[in-house]
Amino acid sequence: MSALSRSAASGDAVVLLGAGGVGKTSTSAALGIAAAASGRNVVVLTVDPAKRLVETLGLGSTYPSEVVAVEGLDVTGAGSLHATMLDPGHTLTSLVDEFAPSPARAAAIHRNRLFQSLVTSLSGLSEYMAAERFRQLLADPRFDMVIVDTPPAQNGVDVLDAPARLTDLLDHRLYRALLAPRRGLLRTLNAATQLAARAIGKVVGASLLSDVVEFFALFEGMDRGFRDRAAEVDELLASNRTRFALVTIGRPEPIRTATWLSDQLRDRGIVPDCLVVNRRLTPSANAPRSAHPAIVAAIDDHNQLAESETEVLNSSGLVQGYKVVEINESDEEDPLAALIQMSTQL
Amino acid sequence: MAGKGGVGKTTVGATVAVAAARAGAKVQLIELEGQSQLAALFGAPEMRFEPTTLIERNDAGGSVLGRRITPDEALMDYLGAHGLDRFTDRLSVTGIIDVVTTAAVGLRDLMALGKIRQIADRGEADLVVVDGPAAGHAISFLRTPAGLARASLGGPVHSQAEAAMEFLADESRCRVQLVCVPEVTPVTECIDTAYALEDEIGVALAPLVVNQTVAQLKGLVTAGRATSLPPSAEAVVERRIASTRIQKAQLQRLNEGLPLPQIHLPHILSARLDRHHINTLADAYAGGFK
């Protein structure tokens, strides 16, 4: 059993973080297969999966936020494997409907132009919604294991920070000041802030600023719900139930990103259980001297790259500091077969 | 530059900058996120908002300046240029901006695009190469102006959004160069992204860069069959045969699926790329235009 599988066995959730293009989604799916084979009821939450993987997992033809069973696997043993894709707009809308004091207020929020731009835009929102969706899945009685495939790099850490950022925003004096006319807190807005607000209004347009005011005014009274929810997600992420793993390949850039992520996590009191190194090339035996030049060239090319990769990994402080799970580059062309092969190395 | 994570988008961006500088162009190479390896490729210190020299002016009159323009920095730059730097109460200003940009998602991205447009339009560079956000995010990044223009917020934001849309749609000023590798998933995503960029954003596409193409080894298939090899060596030979076959099929798919000229860059047999490798790639890149 690899350090990654041990990590999964000791918790209720595994969050995988790493740079783009290192195979995070595949690793998540393979870990899902391995955990299901050991009897867990697993759901894999993917944030931005490649189309081919979406099809492999059977997510293609369904509504993104739905949870679907992954078919075509004979290795699931006593457990089960489901997958779901994050739909940030849908998750936010469901949150608003849950916390709005009345259907009329919910409808007014849905009509607000900024809210509409929020639900249709991917950037910024998806991280908070990934955290919320994670909480929903962890509470879902159908599952006892949640695997989270985070967005690449920086955005992965944003998933952890999003709940707290929202709380900070709700606590911000300007936010309170924007609601001041209703709450009689006008005095909290000092002269300098008033001036700055006016100047910013000039630059970004007064109508944008008034939309912002309307936006936050509509949320009045709902902040309690959002705040409690944010605290709950924060607690889940900090608890022992949630395990973390870093994913990389043997290249300097993703290793640098993983090092940065490692530092960010440790700053938040989180120590990842292991470092997964994907697509590892293993050096091959040399070709016999009499071999055809094409064979010699193929083996030389491979060994040159494999050695260079080993040098990059060995010179990295990150690799020294973690239990390393190496996954060999797959020779399966069928994506599902490749995932199963990957899962056997976990 | 746009492409899925791991296809070498940053490397190819550096390659384009080097090739253009050799041809005599004053280039600005821009990273949008702070995590790229761009500066390291040139052996330069980490990039900042202010331009730093990556390649000194050469005999042809070309040079490469590097800078990092994060959306946050671009927004502060814009607000500064509009008189907000007079405010001494930085905390209030930053606080209000936080609130505004939290609600008006995309405002920061729009400002980054605006800054890039400004560099191009003011003639600060002959060519601006932007190491864009990864695939999916590239589309949402470039879609921002249309989204904000549609929200009809009025005022300066609206005119910024319209100017950005105009810039993106003008193929004499702006093109997206897609980068992919000759494997199934990256090619599928590349074709989808190409159509999404043209249809949804209306931006013109530059020649497609196919990175990490492996050289075909003549006689490998026959020799592989005839030679008895240790298992690890046999696996390597089989993989090379498979990747050559996959590459051929995927190049064929690209030919049929995308009516774009292609530039093929060789697979560099090193995990750690440096300036020397970029020069090799720049040779191939320039050769691809002949």
Side-chain angles (χ1 to χ4, degrees), chain A residues 113 203 207 256 285 301 308 333, chain B residues 36 152-153 156 232 240 245 271:
Chain A
R113 283 187 300 185
V203 177
S207 89
R256 204 169 77 131
D301 282 1
S308 156
E333 282 174 46
Chain B
S36 101
S152 58
L153 299 161
S232 63
R240 180 66 176 256
R245 177 171 43 77

Side-chain angles (χ1 to χ4, degrees), chain A residues 21 50-52 113 123 172-173 193 199 203-204 207 216 251-252 256 284-285 292 295 301 305 308 311 315 329 333, chain B residues 5 35-37 78 84 92 95 99 105 151-153 156-157 185 189 192 232-233 239-240 245 269-272:
Chain A
K51 200 174 160 191
R52 192 154 177 247
R113 283 187 300 185
S123 58
H172 196 277
R173 62 191 165 128
T193 312
V203 177
V204 301
S207 89
F216 285 114
R251 300 269 167 159
R256 204 169 77 131
S284 130
H292 189 280
I295 289 181
D301 282 1
L305 199 52
S308 156
E311 181 271 316
S315 64
E329 172 141 89
E333 282 174 46
Chain B
Q35 292 296 312
S36 101
Q37 193 85 337
Y78 178 81
L84 278 181
S92 294
V99 174
V105 181
S152 58
L153 299 161
V157 172
T185 304
E189 294 208 354
D192 290 349
S232 63
R239 181 167 302 163
R240 180 66 176 256
R245 177 171 43 77
L269 298 171
S270 170
R272 194 190 298 281

Side-chain angles (χ1 to χ4, degrees), chain B residues 2-56:
Chain B
K4 184 180 152 50
V7 299
K9 186 170 50 69
T10 301
T11 310
V12 178
T15 300
V16 175
V18 169
R22 281 184 191 168
K26 277 192 301 173
V27 183
Q28 281 205 19
L29 185 53
I30 290 168
E31 68 174 27
L32 289 173
E33 286 150 9
Q35 292 296 312
S36 101
Q37 193 85 337
L38 262 182
L41 281 175
F42 290 92
E46 210 158 293
M47 298 214 247
R48 288 171 287 126
F49 188 73
E50 292 310 320
T52 50
T53 301
L54 297 180
I55 296 181
E56 302 272 1

